[in-house]
Amino acid sequence: MESNTTKRFGCYMSTAPKWINSLLQKLCKPELLEEIEGDLQEYYELWTEEFGEKKANRMYIWHGLKFLRPFAIKNLNSINLYQIDMFIHYLKITFRNFSKHKSFSLINGIGLAISLACCILIGIYLKHELSYDRYLKNSDRIYRLSREFINTDGSTSIHLAHLAPPFAPYMRQDFPEMEAITQFDVFSTTLVIDGKEHWQPNIALADNYFFQVFPFEFISGDPSTALENPGSLVLTEKTAMRYFGKLDVLGESFQFGPEISLMITGVIKDMPENTHFSLEMLADFSFAELNYGGRENMMQAWAENNLSTYFLLKEGASIKEIEKRFPDFFTNHMNEKANDWTALHTQNIRDIHLYSHLDGETWTNGDIVHVYTFSAIGLLILVISIINYINLTTAMSIQRSKEVGLRKVMGAVRSGLVTQFMTESLVMVFLSIGLGFILAFFALPYLRNFTGNAYVFGTTEIIQTLGVITLAGILIGLVSGAYPAMVISKFKPIHALKSNFTGIGAVGFRRVLVIIQFSISSILILCTILVFEQLSFMNNKSLGFDKEQMLILFLNDDARHNSDAFKESLLNHSSILSYGLSNSVPSSRLTSFSGVKTEVDGDMVEPKTVIKNIRVDESFIPNYGINLVAGRNFDPDIRTDSVAFILNQAAVNMIGWTSDEDAIHKALQYGGKEGPVIGVIEDIHFESLQSKIVPMIFFIPDESLQVLSIKMEGEKLTETMNYIEDQWYEFFPDLPIDYQFLDERFRSLYETENKRAQLFTGLSLVAIFIASLGLFGLASFTVSRRTREVGIRKALGASINQVLLILSKEFLILVSISLLVGFPIAFFFSEAWLDNYAYRITIGFLPFVVTSLICLAMAFAAISFKTVRTAKDNPVKSLRYE
Amino acid sequence: MRKAYIGELEEVILLTVAILQDNAYGVAIGLHLQQDLNRKLSISAIHATLDRLSKKGFVTSHMGGATAERGGRRKRYFKVTAAGSRVLTEIQEVRAQLWSQIPPNALAAI
């Protein structure tokens, strides 16, 4: 290691951080300084020899800072008493000023308080979003496995958050780096207990490794055996209280269905809110095995991907190493070719909530984009209110020029004046913090209602928030106080004491700040408008089928196989037009797919992407009013239709036939069936408008279908609903009825967007309000400076309107400039956001016009508030002014 | 004069000052402790302890001549005073007395 000190003029020039020395020189006792610096220097040279310059610098700083302890620091008593006196005097002056200019202080204070309250709330929301799944011990080592399916052209056809059942058992053998691996199936159902129905979501069928991966806290029961035996059930506190009214339920039996009685083997603590998966009941895995027809069959079911699979990485093991061996896993357990069309991936559990948007996520996740967006908005609002402070204080400074002049004459030095004005801004900020904190506290319940999260805000959180905000407050105070303090302390006494003093050239800077404020406001308003446009576009876009007055009824268990009589009875009601069966309905994600072989130019070829399928009966397509562009619908009287296919246009294009008609009668192999294409439907938006229309195929399956869509008409929906319910219980007295409306399902698809739009609106309003508040203050100030001018103009015959125009011209020009600044930025961001949608609005002219109008109107309102009064006043009065 | 109390760290550093004789200054003391006793102390801790020792009157110090190293800064050399010597001997005696009272085999074998 080469020494980094160079010999120059017989002494060493050191590369050590100089600022440490100047800090020590400021704070240490002069008599100790020399040896301290000397020893540090000597050590530094040793460290450089030993560790290199980088580390030596770090150590120099660390050890230098450690000298700031009582024995070496200058006596604190040496601060002169007069400084304390001065400080008290500054505080006094501060409060006098506040009370002298009440309206200005209020504008400053309220603006800051509101923006700080917004920041606190946004902070609470962000803290919650970023804390997901971190409550789990070892969360850094818990991973979820996901499975990707690859098209022949290498693109992803689908990326599932679930795996097939054989994965976990085989991986347990092949990957010793996994301390434990667990799989579970999540479903919801209606439980009938003592004749009463209970909707029970988030039930898991989990294997006994579950609690090794997720160390949930047991109130009673043994985590190592809780899910070992068939017929075991683990409840959370909440569900135990719900069904038993007590927590002490170990060993009791629980009626899970007509024939299934389970024994409770454990009660765990409720899962917290900040978790990406929330379970309320865990039954053992044997039921899942039954679904697959026993363990033997289950271990062959490589294509049935519906089990959430998580593992705990051994300490010190590398996730990269594990991932490297996934291809071998497929080769060993499936076949040589498997890696061409499928792959495994891992996600750390802490990243799932904000970063994962896979197909078939069991629970809706958040989004890192929201985190960024809201942090940015919070900061922008804060910037607006800080600008208010700077602008108003510098504007007001002219009024205080005499005070400053006099102080200087009396011997005040500049640093003293700077301290004085900094004190003022800090006091202002801390008063606002108090107010903002109270505001945030009262607004918190609304935030809770809005997001549905019970943000805990106990003593620890309050202390944390206060700590953070105190630091932030000092920073804000310094930032907002710095410029006014510099400007004011520059005043030359000789000028400042003259009566016609007009201040300093801060006007240009103030204008820039106003432009920044209104640019921010215009950006937020424009984005809000666009978010709303996109939403209403999505809600009103024609989807290619009829989603109104469509009832979705789930045929569970027995109803699935004996629904014929029930369905027939429905048509007896005049308001029920038709029904259709399928395995899934629009608004769901399409997750079932298979490869396809089909006839193109006489040869059987395999197209490059897979086709997603919907299994339907012959009435599905007419029931939804879907247009056939070529061929015909399934016909129950034609026997071969049981192996026939209907495609959508996207599939026809993908396969590469020349036209929709060209597809008819072509032979096609799909999912073990082989038959002709008999029809082509037009492209419908089956999934959310966020995703592109993918190739789809419809066929009639051999098994019974479980989702019944019922088309109703007329006004008397409730009456029709009652009829359907009565019929259901007529035919299936033991089965709970489970239905939804299709338009509701579509609405919930866009729920996050709806929420975001509302939040956006609220925050934009706050922004424009604070900006207007500042403009109002600035305008009233300018107007009061120009009272005499107005008086003279009126005396010479100017009308009120002319005076108004003269007074507000400058501000309106500023706002117009800020629109020009803000629009390109807003355009850029909205374009980026809209690009997430496969079907989106194009940004038109109108939002810009509306935004301009809103901004100008707000600005004008803020200005004219004061201006009108001045303009209307009798010139006699205003000329006597001063 | 009341009997000044001396802590373990103070004792070790005072002994080191005695060992190093004419070369007892901050860096040398620190390096000696590190090499001999494998004790890593931050420089400020050594300075603070020396400061306490001189307040108690166990060491005196004087500034040495300027050197070309250390950026031309002088070193402060420490010397053990008579009071310092006495305190060290006292500690030594107290320890010896206590050791002599321990019955054989009373301490567990290490």
Side-chain angles (χ1 to χ4, degrees), chain A residues 31 34-35 38-39 42 71, chain B residues 25-26 47-48 70 74 76:
Chain A
E31 66 267 24
E34 188 171 2
E35 51 166 322
D39 279 7
E42 206 170 323
F71 88 93
Chain B
Y25 73 103
H47 277 244
R70 307 165 59 92
R74 292 174 300 164
R76 180 185 292 272

Side-chain angles (χ1 to χ4, degrees), chain A residues 8 134 160 205 242 255 316 321-322 335 347 354 413 434 465 570 624 630 673 698 711 746 782 790 795 850 856:
Chain A
R8 220 184 284 172
R134 285 169 194 264
L160 288 174
L205 301 177
R242 183 177 173 187
Q255 218 38 50
E321 283 303 310
I322 288 187
N335 56 49
Q347 298 169 297
L354 289 175
V413 282
T465 318
L570 290 181
Y624 271 95
K673 282 180 179 274
F698 295 78
K711 175 74 188 157
F746 270 98
T782 351
V790 172
V850 174
L856 287 169

Side-chain angles (χ1 to χ4, degrees), chain A residues 98 135 545 871:
Chain A
F98 286 173
Y135 67 93
F545 55 86

Side-chain angles (χ1 to χ4, degrees), chain A residues 297-309:
Chain A
N297 287 337
M298 186 183 95
M299 290 302 282
Q300 297 306 317
W302 287 99
E304 306 262 352
N305 298 292
N306 38 25
L307 297 181
S308 301
T309 309

